[in-house]
Amino acid sequence: MDLLIFLLLLASPVALAKSSPTVPAIFTFGDSIFDAGNNHYKKNCTAQADFPPYGSSFFHRPTGRFTNGRTVADFISQFVGLPLQKPFLELKIQILNGTLRRFPSNGINFASAGSGLLFDTNKEMGVTPIQTQLQQFQTLVEQNQIEKTPIQESLFLLESGSNDIFNYFSPFQTPTLSPDAYVNAMLDQVNKTIEQIYKLGARRIAFFSLGPVGCVPARALLPNAPTGKCFGKMNAMAKKYNTRLEDIVNIVPTKYPGAIAVFGAVYGITNRFQTFPARYGFSDVSNACCGYGTLGGLMQCGREGYKICNNPNKFLFWDFYHPTERTYHLMSKALWNGNKNEIRPFSLMALATNNITF
């Protein structure tokens, strides 16, 4: 037995070396699913989560993340073995006031809650659209404020579009485009995004699909949305976008030599949580743990009069739009090392370790 243990210990460094992630940094773009606190540093931005009880389950304080703890971007960073990426706007302030000499080597989070693929989505809330997020990254590269060499080995995480689709059904604006034309406009920006980050050196790219947007508790705010079931029209639009997004991801290696991309099937992963809640340890996959009113979806968590559940780990949703940390953790595990129903053509772990088989 002692000899067996010795041989296992002797062999383990080799096994670890083969599977150790080779990712020096992670660069993240998108909306509140990823936002690590950028909006907190925008004075005129009204899309905020910088107050209790946000962050209460892990950080034990609000960080600007729109959940009770870590996001998918945080978990992926931990799986890779990197410190969590800080928000770009926080780092920028630290650089300007001299408390930080240069941008960190582990990557940067550019995501802004409330933003979308379309430039005007929630513009009145003062969010940072993905076009501006990409420009922020481009400026850092062009001004040599971040090292260019590690960029090709870095992981690029992108997720956006939920706010675009939710807003399409908002009673406060009348759509000027048909659903198909609207989705096409979103996908045009996806293509521009890939082209822009590729030119700046991105070679390992992960695009995450939209989840079932029509199931968020905030649908209770929409006059035409059902509350006893998910909003079918909204989900149909999200699925149409996801199908086309996967088509774009699949041709990345052909269109952009040297680049590899994966498609994270967030819709399917979340749908399984909803279909088999007990299997994943959920007792409630419809209502927000923190909020107020129908589905807990009529008020943002933390606002005056809100109510909170006893155990967020039993809930799929933390607030009226966003999943709990536990949901994000389960989702992240599926994206990191899941099968082809969850992420394809290979997992994030394979992408991070260069252990790629099609």
Side-chain angles (χ1 to χ4, degrees):
M1 182 64 75
D2 289 342
L3 178 63
L4 178 61
I5 291 169
F6 172 74
L7 289 171
L8 286 171
L9 288 171
L10 192 66
S12 62
V14 178
L16 285 171
K18 278 186 176 179
S19 61
S20 294
T22 58
V23 173
I26 298 176
F27 296 98
T28 304
F29 305 85
D31 54 29
S32 54
I33 302 299
F34 284 159
D35 191 349
N38 274 304
N39 283 11
H40 170 69
Y41 296 94
K42 291 199 76 176
K43 288 182 180 178
N44 299 323
C45 182
T46 57
Q48 297 291 353
D50 52 2
F51 44 84
Y54 286 99
S56 55
S57 297
F58 180 77
F59 300 101
H60 306 297
R61 61 182 177 85
T63 62
R65 289 169 174 82
F66 283 72
T67 185
N68 56 315
R70 290 158 291 184
T71 67
V72 169
D74 295 325
F75 282 115
I76 298 305
S77 189
Q78 290 183 326
F79 296 161
V80 168
L82 291 173
L84 304 188
Q85 288 70 44
K86 288 191 173 182
F88 166 71
L89 293 179
E90 178 186 358
L91 295 169
K92 185 179 178 183
I93 290 168
Q94 291 175 342
I95 295 276
L96 290 172
N97 66 23
T99 56
L100 193 66
R101 291 187 64 185
R102 60 182 292 114
F103 285 91
S105 60
N106 67 311
I108 301 170
N109 188 312
F110 294 90
S112 173
S115 67
L117 288 163
L118 304 179
F119 186 81
D120 288 337
T121 294
N122 294 330
K123 186 178 176 182
E124 72 285 353
M125 297 173 76
V127 302
T128 305
I130 199 163
Q131 293 83 352
T132 305
Q133 295 173 35
L134 294 165
Q135 187 57 53
Q136 290 167 343
F137 174 65
Q138 182 170 330
T139 300
L140 294 185
V141 174
E142 291 175 347
Q143 293 181 356
N144 295 312
Q145 294 191 63
I146 52 176
E147 288 186 49
K148 292 180 183 177
T149 309
I151 290 176
Q152 290 196 3
E153 293 298 313
S154 297
L155 198 57
F156 283 75
L157 305 180
L158 299 109
E159 185 281 333
S160 190
S162 296
N163 293 308
D164 301 301
I165 287 180
F166 192 88
N167 284 9
Y168 188 83
F169 295 90
S170 168
F172 304 110
Q173 60 183 55
T174 305
T176 56
L177 298 173
S178 69
D180 284 350
Y182 194 80
V183 167
N184 286 342
M186 291 168 64
L187 293 160
D188 284 345
Q189 182 55 47
V190 170
N191 281 313
K192 289 175 185 175
T193 297
I194 298 172
E195 189 168 337
Q196 189 170 353
I197 61 172
Y198 179 79
K199 284 179 179 176
L200 294 168
R203 294 297 181 269
R204 300 190 199 187
I205 305 164
F207 258 105
F208 298 157
S209 84
L210 303 184
V213 194
C215 299
V216 298
R219 72 183 187 278
L221 293 166
L222 304 176
N224 297 322
T227 54
K229 60 180 181 179
C230 296
F231 192 3
K233 286 183 180 178
M234 193 179 285
N235 279 348
M237 200 166 171
K239 285 196 279 190
K240 184 171 291 186
Y241 166 83
N242 290 342
T243 300
R244 298 273 304 283
L245 174 67
E246 185 168 10
D247 291 341
I248 291 171
V249 170
N250 286 342
I251 63 167
V252 164
T254 308
K255 193 173 178 182
Y256 301 99
I260 44 179
V262 296
F263 173 82
V266 171
Y267 193 106
I269 294 168
T270 309
N271 193 240
R272 277 193 292 282
F273 299 160
Q274 293 169 312
T275 308
F276 308 106
R279 183 187 298 177
Y280 296 98
F282 293 115
S283 60
D284 193 316
V285 293
S286 302
N287 297 283
C289 164
C290 184
Y292 183 77
T294 306
L295 300 173
L298 298 181
M299 177 191 290
Q300 186 184 0
C301 175
R303 299 297 183 187
E304 187 177 351
Y306 79 94
K307 294 183 178 180
I308 189 167
C309 69
N310 291 325
N311 186 358
N313 287 338
K314 294 289 185 183
F315 279 68
L316 179 73
F317 291 105
W318 165 248
D319 70 2
F320 58 174
Y321 283 108
H322 309 101
T324 57
E325 181 190 58
R326 184 165 179 278
T327 306
Y328 280 143
H329 188 219
L330 291 170
M331 196 180 289
S332 301
K333 287 200 293 185
L335 294 166
W336 178 248
N337 196 22
N339 59 39
K340 283 183 167 56
N341 288 324
E342 296 162 328
I343 185 157
R344 45 192 179 264
F346 39 81
S347 70
L348 278 177
M349 185 171 75
L351 187 64
T353 57
N354 273 336
N355 184 21
I356 295 163
T357 52
F358 288 88

